[in-house]
Amino acid sequence: MLNHHKKFICSEIEHQSEKLWAISTKLFNEPETAFKEFKASQLLTHALQEGGFSVEGGIANLDTAFRASIGDQAHPCIAILAEYDALTGLGHACGHNLIASAAIGAGLALAELQPRLPGLIQVIGSPAEEGGGGKIILAEAGVFDSVDAGMMFHPAAKNMVLRSSLASAKLRMEFFGKASHAAAAPEEGINALDALILTFNNIHAIRPLLGPKDVIAGIILNGGEAANIIPAYTCADFSIRSLTSQRRDEIIEKVKACAQAGAQAVGCQLKLTLSPGYKNMLPNHVIADLFSANLEIVGRQVVEPGPFERMGSTDMGDVSHIIPAIHAYLAIAPENIAGHTLEFKEYCISEAGKSAMLDAAKALAMTVVDLLTDPSLVQKAKVELNRTISEKS
């Protein structure tokens, strides 16, 4: 039986539906990329302030990050995370406009229940998920130190709560050779492009050793200046991902060896620059079960992720290694439509997107109610996280 708090939340979010959709639409029509989400941050914080939240802007020295709080400063403290950065060239083809408006909707509905709920509710605005790792910067600044659990939703092609994500990293390769005329004196040159091409071939040679979720993708940034000049410098970027940070690191070493072999064969000097990426998501089963039950209340059937489920990477993965967390997915598009595409972008401004935004807001708020009214669930979630971390270490 639906308790009165949850009934109120569902009714309140329906009442606010057009306001929330207006926020989502404005975000969609005015996309801003990583760390430049100034209009988005202002729009979201204004809505939260109007709803009674105390808002801190520019947290962790990030101009577009924010933390909005309401309730009792005593624990538990439950955070709903908002993302609102867009993709370069594609705008909101990942649906962050829906993520942000759902977080705002959940927060505003919960604010209307105050002071009848114990504990503290936070809506944390995290910029630059699409490259930049805003949540990692927030975590390093201690933003999650006083948070007991966190959650967010992401639009997708299925309703899933336990789908993980891939651990990721970026590796830049720079090869330094010697320029020479390709026709008049090729023997005097050291071809940095040959070293890079050998590296790509070496990587292709090790692909049979990779698992289905081991990903190595690379692009050439600089392949030379002129066809008749042996390239003295070449550069490539590689994205490396896998199911766990440990497996990702193993693959990084294999890719490094491929580059070193290419450089050695040609006689080039090699410079490797590793940029830390995101950790894999650890979906917390305690919170996931609550969220799934609440999704069923609003009429969404949750499915388990399949063994060959599409997965990307998210900085929410790093948060999930610090506090119990979920990164739930709600369907807005058919299963054959992938995110980060123009086709998916159309669904992010559709009636299906609006429906998912409202359902997500309801499920997020109802799950916060579950955790605040029964702190033992928060403790169980923490025990699970500690056990998961210890088993993987």
Short mmCIF file of all heavy atoms in Angstrom, two decimals, residues 13-14 58 60 63 73 75 81 87 105 132 139 171 190 194 211 233 258 285 316 323 354 361 368 374:
data_model
loop_
_atom_site.label_atom_id
_atom_site.label_comp_id
_atom_site.label_asym_id
_atom_site.label_seq_id
_atom_site.Cartn_x
_atom_site.Cartn_y
_atom_site.Cartn_z
N ILE A 13 4.65 16.10 -7.91
CA ILE A 13 5.45 16.11 -9.14
C ILE A 13 4.55 16.27 -10.36
O ILE A 13 4.89 16.98 -11.31
CB ILE A 13 6.33 14.85 -9.22
CG1 ILE A 13 7.46 14.96 -8.18
CG2 ILE A 13 6.91 14.66 -10.62
CD1 ILE A 13 8.29 13.73 -8.01
N GLU A 14 3.39 15.64 -10.33
CA GLU A 14 2.44 15.86 -11.43
C GLU A 14 2.00 17.32 -11.48
O GLU A 14 1.86 17.91 -12.56
CB GLU A 14 1.22 14.93 -11.26
CG GLU A 14 1.48 13.50 -11.63
CD GLU A 14 1.84 13.31 -13.10
OE1 GLU A 14 1.34 14.11 -13.94
OE2 GLU A 14 2.63 12.41 -13.41
N GLY A 58 29.22 27.44 -6.76
CA GLY A 58 30.67 27.44 -6.94
C GLY A 58 31.41 26.53 -5.99
O GLY A 58 32.58 26.80 -5.65
N ALA A 60 33.64 23.45 -4.54
CA ALA A 60 34.84 22.77 -5.04
C ALA A 60 35.58 23.62 -6.08
O ALA A 60 36.26 23.09 -6.96
CB ALA A 60 34.50 21.40 -5.62
N ASP A 63 32.81 26.83 -10.90
CA ASP A 63 31.83 27.91 -11.01
C ASP A 63 30.42 27.41 -11.23
O ASP A 63 29.45 28.04 -10.78
CB ASP A 63 32.21 28.85 -12.16
CG ASP A 63 33.46 29.66 -11.86
OD1 ASP A 63 33.79 29.80 -10.66
OD2 ASP A 63 34.11 30.14 -12.81
N GLN A 73 20.04 18.95 9.87
CA GLN A 73 21.47 18.73 9.64
C GLN A 73 21.95 17.38 10.17
O GLN A 73 23.04 16.93 9.84
CB GLN A 73 22.28 19.85 10.29
CG GLN A 73 22.09 21.20 9.63
CD GLN A 73 22.56 21.23 8.18
OE1 GLN A 73 23.57 20.65 7.83
NE2 GLN A 73 21.80 21.90 7.33
N HIS A 75 22.14 13.30 10.52
CA HIS A 75 22.10 12.24 9.51
C HIS A 75 20.81 11.45 9.63
O HIS A 75 20.18 11.45 10.68
CB HIS A 75 23.32 11.34 9.68
CG HIS A 75 24.59 12.00 9.25
ND1 HIS A 75 24.93 12.19 7.94
CD2 HIS A 75 25.60 12.53 9.97
CE1 HIS A 75 26.10 12.80 7.85
NE2 HIS A 75 26.53 13.03 9.08
N LEU A 81 21.78 13.60 -7.42
CA LEU A 81 22.76 14.28 -8.26
C LEU A 81 22.16 14.70 -9.59
O LEU A 81 21.39 13.95 -10.20
CB LEU A 81 23.97 13.37 -8.48
CG LEU A 81 24.95 13.34 -7.30
CD1 LEU A 81 24.48 12.38 -6.22
CD2 LEU A 81 26.35 12.98 -7.74
N LEU A 87 26.87 17.62 -24.97
CA LEU A 87 27.94 17.09 -25.80
C LEU A 87 28.38 18.12 -26.84
O LEU A 87 27.54 18.80 -27.44
CB LEU A 87 27.46 15.83 -26.53
CG LEU A 87 27.21 14.61 -25.65
CD1 LEU A 87 26.25 13.65 -26.34
CD2 LEU A 87 28.52 13.91 -25.31
N GLY A 105 12.87 18.15 -9.81
CA GLY A 105 11.52 17.74 -9.46
C GLY A 105 11.46 16.95 -8.17
O GLY A 105 10.59 17.17 -7.32
N GLY A 132 35.76 15.55 -18.14
CA GLY A 132 36.11 16.57 -17.16
C GLY A 132 35.95 16.06 -15.74
O GLY A 132 36.62 16.52 -14.83
N ALA A 139 34.29 15.16 -5.26
CA ALA A 139 34.67 14.17 -4.25
C ALA A 139 36.01 14.53 -3.62
O ALA A 139 36.17 14.44 -2.38
CB ALA A 139 34.74 12.78 -4.88
N LEU A 171 44.89 7.65 -22.92
CA LEU A 171 46.33 7.54 -23.08
C LEU A 171 46.74 8.28 -24.36
O LEU A 171 46.26 7.97 -25.45
CB LEU A 171 46.74 6.06 -23.19
CG LEU A 171 48.24 5.78 -23.34
CD1 LEU A 171 48.99 6.23 -22.08
CD2 LEU A 171 48.48 4.30 -23.60
N ILE A 190 63.68 9.32 -39.74
CA ILE A 190 63.11 8.34 -38.79
C ILE A 190 61.62 8.62 -38.78
O ILE A 190 61.17 9.66 -38.30
CB ILE A 190 63.71 8.49 -37.38
CG1 ILE A 190 65.23 8.27 -37.41
CG2 ILE A 190 63.05 7.50 -36.42
CD1 ILE A 190 65.91 8.51 -36.07
N ASP A 194 55.30 5.76 -39.21
CA ASP A 194 55.44 4.30 -39.25
C ASP A 194 55.33 3.72 -37.85
O ASP A 194 54.71 2.67 -37.64
CB ASP A 194 56.79 3.92 -39.86
CG ASP A 194 56.80 4.05 -41.37
OD1 ASP A 194 55.71 4.16 -41.96
OD2 ASP A 194 57.91 4.04 -41.95
N GLY A 211 38.45 -9.19 -23.74
CA GLY A 211 37.10 -9.64 -23.45
C GLY A 211 36.08 -8.76 -24.14
O GLY A 211 36.41 -7.70 -24.69
N TYR A 233 57.11 13.90 -36.25
CA TYR A 233 56.26 13.89 -35.03
C TYR A 233 54.88 13.38 -35.38
O TYR A 233 54.29 13.81 -36.39
CB TYR A 233 56.16 15.29 -34.44
CG TYR A 233 55.17 15.41 -33.30
CD1 TYR A 233 55.52 15.01 -32.02
CD2 TYR A 233 53.89 15.91 -33.51
CE1 TYR A 233 54.62 15.12 -30.96
CE2 TYR A 233 52.98 16.01 -32.46
CZ TYR A 233 53.34 15.61 -31.19
OH TYR A 233 52.46 15.70 -30.16
N CYS A 258 52.46 -2.07 -26.85
CA CYS A 258 52.27 -1.97 -28.30
C CYS A 258 52.96 -0.72 -28.85
O CYS A 258 53.59 -0.76 -29.92
CB CYS A 258 50.78 -1.93 -28.64
SG CYS A 258 49.91 -3.51 -28.38
N HIS A 285 22.80 -2.63 -4.13
CA HIS A 285 21.59 -3.44 -4.25
C HIS A 285 20.50 -3.01 -3.28
O HIS A 285 19.31 -3.12 -3.61
CB HIS A 285 21.92 -4.92 -4.05
CG HIS A 285 22.65 -5.54 -5.21
ND1 HIS A 285 23.96 -5.22 -5.50
CD2 HIS A 285 22.24 -6.42 -6.16
CE1 HIS A 285 24.34 -5.91 -6.58
NE2 HIS A 285 23.33 -6.63 -7.00
N MET A 316 29.89 9.06 -12.06
CA MET A 316 29.11 8.55 -10.94
C MET A 316 29.73 7.25 -10.42
O MET A 316 29.52 6.87 -9.27
CB MET A 316 27.65 8.32 -11.37
CG MET A 316 26.70 8.01 -10.22
SD MET A 316 26.53 9.40 -9.07
CE MET A 316 25.29 8.73 -7.93
N ILE A 323 30.39 6.33 -1.54
CA ILE A 323 29.14 6.21 -0.80
C ILE A 323 28.23 5.21 -1.53
O ILE A 323 28.38 5.00 -2.73
CB ILE A 323 28.41 7.57 -0.67
CG1 ILE A 323 28.09 8.15 -2.07
CG2 ILE A 323 29.21 8.54 0.18
CD1 ILE A 323 27.22 9.39 -2.04
N LYS A 354 9.71 13.26 -21.50
CA LYS A 354 8.98 13.92 -20.42
C LYS A 354 8.43 12.90 -19.43
O LYS A 354 8.52 13.09 -18.20
CB LYS A 354 7.83 14.76 -21.00
CG LYS A 354 7.01 15.49 -19.95
CD LYS A 354 5.89 16.31 -20.62
CE LYS A 354 5.07 17.08 -19.59
NZ LYS A 354 3.97 17.85 -20.23
N ALA A 361 11.72 11.43 -11.35
CA ALA A 361 11.59 12.36 -10.21
C ALA A 361 10.81 11.71 -9.08
O ALA A 361 11.19 11.81 -7.90
CB ALA A 361 10.91 13.65 -10.67
N VAL A 368 14.28 8.42 -1.56
CA VAL A 368 14.80 9.25 -0.47
C VAL A 368 13.92 9.11 0.77
O VAL A 368 14.42 8.99 1.89
CB VAL A 368 14.90 10.73 -0.91
CG1 VAL A 368 15.25 11.62 0.28
CG2 VAL A 368 15.95 10.89 -2.01
N ASP A 374 13.74 5.17 7.35
CA ASP A 374 14.27 3.92 7.92
C ASP A 374 15.79 3.94 7.79
O ASP A 374 16.36 3.36 6.87
CB ASP A 374 13.70 2.71 7.20
CG ASP A 374 14.10 1.39 7.87
OD1 ASP A 374 14.89 1.43 8.84
OD2 ASP A 374 13.62 0.33 7.42
#
